[in-house]
Amino acid sequence: MLYRIFLPAVICIALLSGCAASKNYNPNKKYSVQQLQQDYTLLRKILEAKHPSLYWYTSKDSMNMFFDNGYKSITDSMTELQFGWNVLAPVINKIRCGHTSFSMSKNWYQFQQKIRIPSFPLHLKVWKDTMVIIENLNKKDSILKQGMLVTSINGMRNNETIKTMFDYLPLDGYADNVNYVRISSNFPFYHRNVFGVYSTYRVGYIDSMGKEKSTIVPMYIQSPDTGRNKIVDSSESKITRHQLHKLYIKNLRSFTIDASLKTSVITLNTFTNGRRKHLRHFIKSSFRTIRKNKIGNVILDLRRNGGGDLNMSMVLAKFLRNTPFKATDSAFAVTKSLKPYTGYIKHGFINNLGFFLLTKRRKDGLVHYGYLEHHLFKPKVKNHFNGKLYVLVNGPTFSASTIFCNQVKGQENVKIVGEETGGGWYGNDGVMIPDITLPITKLRVRLPLFRIVQYNHVPFKGTGIMPDIYIPPTVDGVRNSEDRKMEIVKQMIKEENK
C-alpha cells in the first residue's frame, strides 16, 4: 500500500539511517506563522523595490495576487524546507525570471551532505510528456531498466507530473526547455521536494512487448559510504588533488581536433572561471591553434553553459562575429542603491559601489549601464575564424551564453543546432545577481539587478533562441546513451567534406 511520508519525517528517517545532524542546526525546527510572515513580507518588499523585471511577464495585478496568495498559504508553522518549497518556490515561479530562484540556507546544505534522504528510486530523462529511465537506483530491481518508458507515478500521468513540477521551477519567460533538462538532471530530488516521499511507488511503464503495465517499487535510501574515512598516504593524496584539478578544468572547458573531419570541438560549460585571464587565454589559444592547423569547421558546445561573465562571452564573439556589435540594446536597473535593504543582500556595499561607479540615471527614470549599451565590439583580425561554425545548444544554454548565440545567429557561416535555449532570446535579467538572505529562516533568493535587452533583439519575447537545426532527444538515444546532437553534426560535416 502506498503512503506518503511528509518532509519532517523524511529528515527523521535520514537521521536514523546513521548520520547525525550538526549540533547547531536542526532541520526539523519549525518557524511560527509570525516568523514566516516576517521573512515573506521582507522578501516581497525587496523584490517590489529592486527587481528590474517583476512585471515583465506577469502583470502587477496578477503578481500582487500571487504574493497575497503566498502570504495566505502561511497558516501553520513550517520547517525551512517546507517554507521554501511550499511557499516561496511557487510564487517565485510566477515572476518568470530564470535568475530569480530560491535556495536553502547554508546550514541546510552542510547538513544534507552528511545524511541520506530517502527518495524516488528512478533517474528519468524527461521531455514533453515522455519519461525514459536513465538509471534505477534500486540495482536489484529486475523489471525497470535503462531505456524503458515510464507512463505514470502513483497514478499521475506524465504530463500532469511534469506540469506540476514546472510550477515550482524558475524560467525565462516561457522558455521551459531548461526545466526539462533540470528535472532530468536529478529527477528524484525534484520529485521528492514537490510531491514528498512515499514508502513505495506505483510506477506505470511500457514493457518489451509494448504493453502498459505497473509495478510497486520501494523508496531508495543510499547505503552508508564506507569509503569516507579511507586514509591515503601523502603522495597518493597529491596525485589525487592534481587529477581532480585536471578533471575540474576539463569539466569547465575543453578543446579537441578531429583531423579526419578537419573539425575542432570547443566545449565551454561556463563563461566564469575565477580568474578571467585563464578563460581568455583558452579562447585565444584555441583559435590560434585552429588557424595554424587550417581547421575549416568548429563545433562549439554550449549545452551546459549557464552563463557567467558577459564580457567573456563578448571575447568569444569577437573571434566569430563578422561585423561590429554591441553587447546589448539596453541594460538598466530600477534602483541606484540597495538601501534600505543593503544588509540583507550579499555584497550589498560592493553592489552599491558598482551602481555608483558604473551606472547613470536617465530621463526615463531608469538606471542605465552605459558601457553595455554603447560600447562597440569589433571582430578580431588575428586568428579570426571564417569557416563553418556549429553551435550546440539546449535548455541549460542560459544568460551570457544566450547573449552570445544571439550575436552569431543568422550569420551565413553559422548554424545553431539542438533545442531551444533556456535563456531568453529577447532578453533576460542579470549582470549583478546577489543573494537575499532572509533573516529568520536564512533561506536565500537570487536577485538580478539589471534587465538586459538583446542587441538587435527579436520583436517578440518569451521564448529562448530557436535552433536553425532542431535535434530533439529520442527514446533510442537515451536507451543507447548516445550524444545524438554531436554525432548528427559530425555526420553533416562528413557529408559536406565529400
Side-chain angles (χ1 to χ4, degrees):
M1 179 177 179
L2 301 175
Y3 65 90
R4 182 173 178 174
I5 302 173
F6 289 94
L7 290 177
V10 170
I11 304 303
C12 291
I13 291 172
L15 292 173
L16 291 172
S17 65
C19 295
S22 168
K23 293 180 180 179
N24 300 320
Y25 178 71
N26 177 14
N28 293 317
K29 176 183 177 180
K30 287 199 171 185
Y31 297 90
S32 69
V33 170
Q34 292 74 23
Q35 288 176 311
L36 298 173
Q37 289 174 339
Q38 284 180 347
D39 266 5
Y40 186 87
T41 300
L42 174 64
L43 175 62
R44 178 175 180 173
K45 287 180 178 179
I46 295 174
L47 291 175
E48 288 178 333
K50 308 301 180 182
H51 198 290
S53 300
L54 193 60
Y55 314 117
W56 205 9
Y57 292 100
T58 305
S59 69
K60 185 173 182 179
D61 286 344
S62 294
M63 201 65 232
N64 285 341
M65 179 189 70
F66 292 131
F67 275 132
D68 290 344
N69 289 344
Y71 187 88
K72 292 175 184 177
S73 71
I74 307 172
T75 58
D76 199 356
S77 59
M78 299 182 192
T79 65
E80 173 189 335
L81 189 68
Q82 290 170 328
F83 182 51
W85 279 96
N86 296 347
V87 179
L88 297 190
V91 174
I92 291 171
N93 165 269
K94 301 303 186 293
I95 302 172
R96 295 191 173 276
C97 168
H99 283 111
T100 307
S101 58
F102 99 93
S103 59
M104 302 294 289
S105 69
K106 292 181 179 179
N107 283 333
W108 165 262
Y109 284 110
Q110 293 172 358
F111 161 80
Q112 62 90 31
Q113 290 177 359
K114 303 173 184 178
I115 66 170
R116 301 180 299 282
I117 303 178
S119 69
F120 180 71
L122 302 177
H123 281 277
L124 303 174
K125 172 66 177 176
V126 177
W127 71 97
K128 295 184 178 178
D129 61 351
T130 302
M131 293 183 179
V132 184
I133 297 175
I134 301 172
E135 181 186 10
N136 188 340
L137 297 172
N138 292 325
K139 303 301 183 183
K140 294 181 180 180
D141 188 330
S142 61
I143 297 176
L144 300 176
K145 301 294 184 182
Q146 178 182 345
M148 295 183 71
L149 283 165
V150 168
T151 58
S152 65
I153 300 171
N154 290 347
M156 185 178 288
R157 305 297 290 187
N158 290 354
N159 58 348
E160 186 180 355
T161 298
I162 295 167
K163 182 180 182 299
T164 301
M165 295 171 85
F166 273 24
D167 287 340
Y168 291 77
L169 303 176
L171 74 166
D172 270 356
Y174 306 97
D176 56 13
N177 193 45
V178 63
N179 284 331
Y180 287 117
V181 181
R182 182 177 281 139
I183 292 172
S184 299
S185 70
N186 195 341
F187 189 91
F189 170 82
Y190 291 106
H191 193 274
R192 178 181 74 220
N193 286 307
V194 172
F195 295 103
V197 177
Y198 293 75
S199 62
T200 59
Y201 299 82
R202 179 174 291 278
V203 177
Y205 67 97
I206 303 297
D207 70 7
S208 59
M209 302 300 292
K211 295 182 178 180
E212 184 169 3
K213 294 184 177 180
S214 68
T215 184
I216 300 292
V217 297
M219 67 182 179
Y220 172 73
I221 303 178
Q222 182 182 359
S223 60
D225 183 4
T226 55
R228 183 171 293 170
N229 297 321
K230 181 182 177 182
I231 299 174
V232 295
D233 62 48
S234 59
S235 60
E236 183 181 350
S237 178
K238 289 180 181 178
I239 293 172
T240 301
R241 282 197 297 269
H242 176 69
Q243 291 173 336
L244 286 175
H245 178 71
K246 290 180 67 175
L247 288 172
Y248 169 73
I249 295 298
K250 185 178 180 180
N251 188 54
L252 294 178
R253 56 179 180 262
S254 64
F255 175 86
T256 59
I257 292 177
D258 187 333
S260 65
L261 293 178
K262 297 181 180 178
T263 296
S264 170
V265 178
I266 301 174
T267 300
L268 278 178
N269 293 331
T270 181
F271 282 113
T272 299
N273 179 26
R275 298 180 181 179
R276 288 172 51 189
K277 66 179 182 180
H278 291 169
L279 180 54
R280 187 186 298 269
H281 174 74
F282 170 81
I283 294 171
K284 288 183 176 180
S285 63
S286 295
F287 286 100
R288 181 170 61 247
T289 303
I290 288 169
R291 176 184 60 80
K292 289 182 177 180
N293 287 274
K294 299 180 180 180
I295 300 297
N297 305 285
V298 168
I299 302 173
L300 177 61
D301 191 348
L302 299 180
R303 288 176 292 175
R304 294 172 58 196
N305 193 312
D309 190 332
L310 179 58
N311 287 313
M312 293 309 299
S313 72
M314 297 300 100
V315 170
L316 176 63
K318 289 194 288 185
F319 285 95
L320 298 165
R321 170 101 182 192
N322 289 338
T323 57
F325 60 97
K326 295 179 183 178
T328 69
D329 272 357
S330 63
F332 61 83
V334 294
T335 181
K336 185 72 173 174
S337 168
L338 297 176
K339 296 178 181 178
Y341 307 110
T342 304
Y344 301 110
I345 298 172
K346 186 175 182 180
H347 302 313
F349 173 79
I350 295 174
N351 284 304
N352 283 339
L353 184 61
F355 276 126
F356 178 77
L357 296 175
L358 302 174
T359 67
K360 183 177 181 180
R361 191 179 295 277
R362 295 192 185 155
K363 293 181 180 179
D364 59 6
L366 300 171
V367 178
H368 288 260
Y369 193 157
Y371 174 80
L372 293 181
E373 295 179 335
H374 303 305
H375 183 77
L376 191 67
F377 295 89
K378 297 181 180 180
K380 291 282 187 181
V381 175
K382 185 177 181 181
N383 298 324
H384 188 275
F385 179 72
N386 298 304
K388 293 183 177 180
L389 174 67
Y390 302 86
V391 185
L392 301 184
V393 300
N394 67 357
T397 307
F398 209 81
S399 193
S401 59
T402 307
I403 293 173
F404 164 82
C405 289
N406 184 64
Q407 304 289 4
V408 298
K409 184 175 172 62
Q411 192 166 285
E412 186 177 359
N413 65 324
V414 177
K415 294 293 182 186
I416 308 293
V417 182
E419 302 172 69
E420 179 185 4
T421 67
W425 194 353
Y426 183 93
N428 53 43
D429 300 314
V431 184
M432 302 177 192
I433 317 176
D435 281 346
I436 303 166
T437 300
L438 302 181
I440 299 173
T441 61
K442 305 302 180 182
L443 285 167
R444 293 168 292 170
V445 176
R446 298 180 79 203
L447 174 65
L449 297 176
F450 286 85
R451 179 192 294 186
I452 293 173
V453 177
Q454 291 265 31
Y455 174 65
N456 284 346
H457 58 80
V458 291
F460 50 92
K461 63 180 183 179
T463 73
I465 292 181
M466 298 299 183
D468 302 309
I469 303 172
Y470 175 55
I471 305 176
T474 66
V475 175
D476 284 341
V478 176
R479 184 175 291 139
N480 299 320
S481 302
E482 297 173 350
D483 187 349
R484 291 185 67 248
K485 295 175 178 63
M486 182 67 75
E487 293 307 316
I488 288 174
V489 169
K490 287 185 176 180
Q491 185 60 37
M492 289 168 53
I493 293 172
K494 186 175 181 180
E495 293 295 326
E496 291 174 357
N497 287 345
K498 289 183 178 178

